Amino acid sequence: MDNINVRFAPSPTGYLHVGGLRTALYNYLFAKQNNGNLILRIEDTDQSRKVDGAISNLVESLNKCGIIFDKGPERYDKNDLFIQSNRLHLYHDAVELLLDDGYAYICLDDNFQKYRDKIFSKEELVNKEYHVRLKIPNNELSFDDDIRGKINFDLSLINDPVILKTDGFPTYHLANVVDDHDMHISHVIRGEEWLPSTPIHVLLYQYFNWELPVFIHLPLLLNPDKSKLSKRQGHVAVDDFLNDGYLADALINFIALLGWNPKTNDELFSIDQLINQFNINNVQKAGAVFDIDKLNWMNAQYLKNTEVSQLLPIAKKIFINNNFIIKDESDLVSIVEFGKSRCNTIKDIVQLANPFFQDLTYNPDYLSLLADSKSKAIYLILIEKIEGLQLVSESDIKLIISDIGNKMNLKGKDLFFPIRLAIWGDVHGPDIGLIIKILEKEKSLERLHRALNYGK
RNA sequence: GGCCCGUUCGUCUAGUGGUUAGGACUCAGGGUUUUCAUCUCUGCAACAGGAGUUCGAUUCUCCUACGGGCUACCA
């Protein structure tokens, strides 16, 4: 094949679904590795389902994930994206062709059988509502799917489908085929849900006498219960994942591996590496469950391996969205630094950082430790030492604490648990020096006093 | 119901006419880390079933079961 052109063809009904993201990704990877073009085509032939702003939303989400569309073939280069509702004349011309050849017929109502062999003149149609249907013959039809092989259908089982609606808009079947041909689409890579309507499309190609593209039907993304992935448990909108602090690169990496694998033990791939390694012929036939646990793990890998400086802009946005006020950017750096190796998402980091910003609640399992006399003794010394400092630094605190440890002959958990409990509310958490530095002198002392007085 | 597609650990998957059926996530346990996490080691766990073909089938064929998709003047 000399010219590779593929397309992602969503309808503008709202947000970008992760299933759509994967379809777009596979198209993108296939286009890039073949020096081809990826076209975005908006299939908005159902005017009632149109949602305002959906198109820019779609493009934005896709771009955030690194999927960028090429311009179409030369004669379309005024637009990067093509909208079917702007191309109605093409479909009307196509319908005329079909009508002329007797491959389609006009119906005045839903009882289409009786119109099958009728021919209306222009005059008869004046002021009449009508739609157009495609004539499906009674023979067998087979076509090839690149990952499934030969697929056979008995066309006698299919009703004549509508190709032009009463409102003058084409249905998916017609618009899809006309556009794919017009845009020189060489490979149709789309979800498996389209497999059953492919014979209609193939028939259309035959009627028009157009060259068939290669069909590749991708397996579906599934809910844990194996049904088609839907909004039920957890979210499916790409933006929701992004807003929760899943990194676009991680999402792409994860989704690429749902239905495809490199046949090695490697699992972490940048989008450029994917372009190199992806092979559409290795794509799985069976559907893949969208396993959030694995996504979480993958995102954790990316978080851990990404520099704080790169994470910062994203983290800042998410912290602000969650009503956290960042006084000092260096605090945010510390928090992200601390959180990125122990969280799955940036939102988790926000959660983890909660005690920095909110009033302390003690872990109920350790209340007795708080009341312990040894703990009180530690608090007393700590308060005294911190009060003596102008400014608290991490290194000062470290020194003070090891000093206390030596003096009281305490180490490890015996030393750190009581202190962290007092200033953090729990025995586990960030390094004590870091907590006190971010909390600053006043707030640290306040918490230590509160702990000192606990149970009194 | 009809048509189409599918079926290797719970999940994502590798793999072969003869393998201890491999990896990853999850889970469990150990080590490292003066907390936790990271990291690391170990363990649990799969060829849907039945007939063929074959010296031998998880691998090839057929059937059954199960799962999913489609069955709109939605895409």
Side-chain angles (χ1 to χ4, degrees), chain A residues 262-274:
Chain A
K263 294 178 182 286
T264 66
N265 285 342
D266 301 329
E267 292 198 284
L268 266 19
F269 299 99
S270 68
I271 199 159
D272 287 334
Q273 289 171 317
L274 286 173

Side-chain angles (χ1 to χ4, degrees), chain A residues 236-248:
Chain A
V236 297
V238 170
D239 274 343
D240 287 345
F241 284 104
L242 262 22
N243 290 336
D244 273 3
Y246 287 92
L247 303 176

Side-chain angles (χ1 to χ4, degrees), chain A residues 197-213:
Chain A
S197 54
T198 306
I200 296 172
H201 305 164
V202 171
L203 195 63
L204 243 8
Y205 278 98
Q206 290 176 357
Y207 284 165
F208 287 124
N209 207 2
W210 289 340
E211 194 188 342
L212 226 49

Side-chain angles (χ1 to χ4, degrees), chain A residues 12-218:
Chain A
T13 53
Y15 57 90
L16 176 64
H17 188 278
V18 286
L21 178 64
R22 194 194 54 170
T23 304
L25 175 66
Y26 283 11
N27 272 285
Y28 173 79
L29 297 176
F30 184 74
K32 288 296 122 186
Q33 63 187 195
N34 287 299
N35 271 320
N37 296 300
L38 173 63
I39 295 170
L40 176 64
R41 184 172 73 219
I42 301 299
E43 310 222 322
D44 62 344
T45 52
D46 184 351
Q47 293 293 293
S48 65
R49 298 210 314 161
K50 214 167 168 171
V51 173
D52 280 345
I55 298 178
S56 53
N57 238 322
L58 237 28
V59 175
E60 210 173 294
S61 300
L62 256 357
N63 286 349
K64 273 190 236 170
C65 293
I67 296 174
I68 313 147
F69 293 86
D70 299 297
K71 299 192 172 189
E74 291 74 11
R75 59 201 177 103
Y76 293 112
D77 66 4
K78 279 193 216 115
N79 305 303
D80 281 347
L81 49 88
F82 309 114
I83 301 172
Q84 289 186 328
S85 58
N86 293 153
R87 303 161 54 81
L88 294 182
H89 59 281
L90 274 171
Y91 317 122
H92 292 163
D93 290 350
V95 167
E96 286 307 318
L97 233 51
L98 258 11
L99 247 19
D100 287 348
D101 289 343
Y103 292 135
Y105 57 95
I106 289 168
C107 299
L108 265 18
D109 56 60
D110 281 343
N111 197 353
F112 60 89
Q113 296 290 0
K114 67 178 184 198
Y115 297 105
R116 227 169 175 251
D117 299 312
K118 220 164 181 147
I119 294 175
F120 290 94
S121 66
K122 283 234 153 62
E123 294 73 43
E124 287 176 281
L125 263 12
V126 172
N127 289 329
K128 286 230 171 71
E129 287 217 321
Y130 66 92
H131 65 271
V132 179
R133 283 180 192 262
L134 190 70
K135 252 187 218 171
I136 304 286
N138 275 329
N139 52 351
E140 299 257 319
L141 182 146
S142 60
F143 61 90
D144 278 308
D145 180 283
D146 231 29
I147 63 183
R148 280 160 223 277
K150 192 175 179 189
I151 295 169
N152 304 305
F153 279 90
D154 181 356
L155 292 182
S156 67
L157 268 11
I158 302 177
N159 275 153
D160 292 349
V162 173
I163 52 172
L164 190 72
K165 298 184 270 189
T166 314
D167 65 2
F169 280 78
T171 56
Y172 168 81
H173 304 299
L174 210 226
N176 178 264
V177 168
V178 168
D179 281 345
D180 282 346
H181 174 258
D182 191 62
M183 296 173 181
H184 307 290
I185 299 301
S186 58
H187 299 251
V188 171
I189 305 171
R190 81 233 290 196
E192 193 188 348
E193 69 269 32
W194 298 112
L195 206 45
S197 54
T198 306
I200 296 172
H201 305 164
V202 171
L203 195 63
L204 243 8
Y205 278 98
Q206 290 176 357
Y207 284 165
F208 287 124
N209 207 2
W210 289 340
E211 194 188 342
L212 226 49
V214 176
F215 288 106
I216 298 171
H217 288 93
L218 269 17

